[in-house]
Amino acid sequence: MKEFNENAYENIRKPVIKGRAEALSLKSPPPKGDVLLELKAFRDFLRDRGYRVTKEREAIAETILRNRDHFDVDELFLSLRTKTPISKASIYRAIPLLIESGVLAEVYLENGHMHYERVYGREHHSHLRCVKCHSILEFSAPELTTIEKRITKQEGFKSEGHKFEIWGLCAACQAEKN
Amino acid sequence: MKEFNENAYENIRKPVIKGRAEALSLKSPPPKGDVLLELKAFRDFLRDRGYRVTKEREAIAETILRNRDHFDVDELFLSLRTKTPISKASIYRAIPLLIESGVLAEVYLENGHMHYERVYGREHHSHLRCVKCHSILEFSAPELTTIEKRITKQEGFKSEGHKFEIWGLCAACQAEKN
DNA sequence: ATCATTGCAAAAGCTTTGCATAAGA
DNA sequence: TCTTATGCAAAGCTTTTGCAATGAT
């Protein structure tokens, strides 16, 4: 076993503070939607790190890679359950690995629990959140990276990522009377 | 009692989704640091809305207005406890009022609990967070507002606020060996 | 054959809430 | 006087964890 993998759980289970994934084997994303390739990359990531490739981890990764971009643990759990028996504990334990591998990212907290999004093979983007209907609109704003660079240089900071979020009322909700 | 205040708790207790405060009586901030004036504005806000001015709410507001910019509920609780008896329940129940009045804002979740910052009388700003030592650096980037306006106009969104955050390693933590 | 991973149930930790009492208006 | 707010303890939730059993290497 590789030495850096001693106490793998110890290292991996620390609370995940929002962090842009530092993909390892996942460094060169395949064309979007190539789930098989993406899954292989995730397996390679596990092996590289000395983690075991289990059917649970594969099922979790595959479900995420095939499904909708935004979700929470419960949705993922229910979605997995229709296909294979799995416990929530395994999902919670897999999430840090998925984040570390660059498959997932935490996006925001709502109603007391975290929401995630699949990031592997997708462009970096920001979110517009409707505070009424909870819908999410995505957008890109390249200037954000420029700002990130300027500020971090100025402060001697080594950046690992940024997040920009706008909240308010979407067009549909403004139109409603109530 | 004012009609809009029926079921005040019902209305106010809903999960607070990050939202820039829409200050009411607090619309024209007094000079920074004028705690007495700020407190008066908070009392006016309570009265305007039909909420009661209690010594607990005053103590909470005063402690926030006099103290450090960033804190969590436990720090606030301990700080209050040295001066006056108070329960955490009252703090949790006061937070939505403080947010609504524009005194406070949620800033980020860390280690499973929310962190807040005093916003009343301060410039809007963004945060640089060190993922290692958890220090926070503040900065301003006016272009963010420009981006916010452009995107929301483009999407027909009615903006209520934005949040920009950069995370990584601060200068001090980069210097450390470990 | 080892030892990481799983599932289960229990524990943890933050936040909310029901209810009786206190206290604003 | 009439309600709202407080305090306490209990409940609620999401997430984490201990442990015995399972399964990957």
Side-chain angles (χ1 to χ4, degrees), chain A:
Chain A
M1 196 213 328
K2 299 186 180 88
E3 63 193 336
F4 60 72
N5 193 31
E6 288 193 357
N7 302 315
Y9 269 173
E10 289 306 311
N11 293 326
I12 208 66
R13 283 211 202 139
K14 285 174 191 151
V16 177
I17 307 306
K18 292 153 216 157
R20 180 185 290 165
E22 289 257 21
L24 285 169
S25 335
L26 303 187
K27 256 172 189 145
S28 334
K32 187 185 167 184
D34 193 337
V35 175
L36 272 337
L37 251 178
E38 291 171 359
L39 262 176
K40 177 177 183 322
F42 180 61
R43 279 194 296 269
D44 289 347
F45 162 82
L46 291 174
R47 273 191 282 260
D48 280 0
R49 292 296 184 101
Y51 300 129
R52 290 180 178 175
V53 176
T54 67
K55 58 183 179 316
E56 290 83 0
R57 287 175 177 167
E58 291 202 284
I60 294 168
E62 182 170 3
T63 297
I64 291 166
L65 290 168
R66 287 195 192 284
N67 285 7
R68 161 163 60 131
D69 295 343
H70 297 87
F71 58 90
D72 58 31
V73 168
D74 217 60
E75 290 168 338
L76 179 55
F77 175 66
L78 293 174
S79 177
L80 273 159
R81 264 289 160 106
T82 66
K83 292 176 277 183
T84 179
I86 189 126
S87 74
K88 272 194 185 173
S90 294
I91 294 177
Y92 278 112
R93 288 192 270 231
I95 284 175
L97 296 172
L98 291 158
I99 291 178
E100 202 185 341
S101 71
V103 167
L104 267 198
E106 293 183 337
V107 276
Y108 56 86
L109 185 88
E110 197 171 85
N111 289 315
H113 58 272
M114 188 53 69
H115 291 240
Y116 300 88
E117 84 179 348
R118 175 170 56 81
V119 293
Y120 188 44
R122 306 181 67 216
E123 294 285 328
H124 180 65
H125 58 265
S126 302
H127 295 114
L128 213 45
R129 291 187 25 220
C130 178
V131 296
K132 196 169 168 196
C133 71
H134 302 147
S135 63
I136 301 288
L137 259 163
E138 297 180 349
F139 66 90
S140 287
E143 310 99 292
L144 294 172
T145 305
T146 315
I147 299 173
E148 177 184 347
K149 280 182 186 148
R150 183 182 81 228
I151 302 290
T152 52
K153 183 175 180 190
Q154 182 180 304
E155 303 289 352
F157 214 83
K158 184 171 177 240
S159 174
E160 294 181 9
H162 73 249
K163 184 163 145 178
F164 185 59
E165 186 180 286
I166 301 173
W167 58 90
L169 285 178
C170 71
C173 285
Q174 285 172 68
E176 278 176 35
K177 44 237 147 213
N178 192 23

Side-chain angles (χ1 to χ4, degrees), chain B residues 13 51-53 55 73 89 92-93 112-114:
Chain B
R13 283 209 200 142
Y51 301 129
R52 289 180 179 175
V53 176
K55 56 182 180 316
V73 168
Y92 279 112
R93 288 193 269 231
H113 58 273
M114 189 53 68

Side-chain angles (χ1 to χ4, degrees), chain B residues 37-91:
Chain B
L37 251 178
E38 292 172 356
L39 262 178
K40 177 178 183 320
F42 179 60
R43 278 194 298 268
D44 289 346
F45 161 82
L46 291 175
R47 273 190 282 260
D48 281 0
R49 292 295 185 104
Y51 301 129
R52 289 180 179 175
V53 176
T54 66
K55 56 182 180 316
E56 289 83 359
R57 287 175 176 168
E58 291 203 285
I60 294 168
E62 182 169 4
T63 297
I64 291 167
L65 290 168
R66 286 196 192 284
N67 284 7
R68 161 162 60 130
D69 295 343
H70 296 87
F71 58 89
D72 57 32
V73 168
D74 217 61
E75 289 167 339
L76 179 56
F77 175 68
L78 293 174
S79 177
L80 274 157
R81 264 289 160 105
T82 64
K83 291 175 278 182
T84 180
I86 189 124
S87 75
K88 272 194 186 175
S90 294
I91 294 177

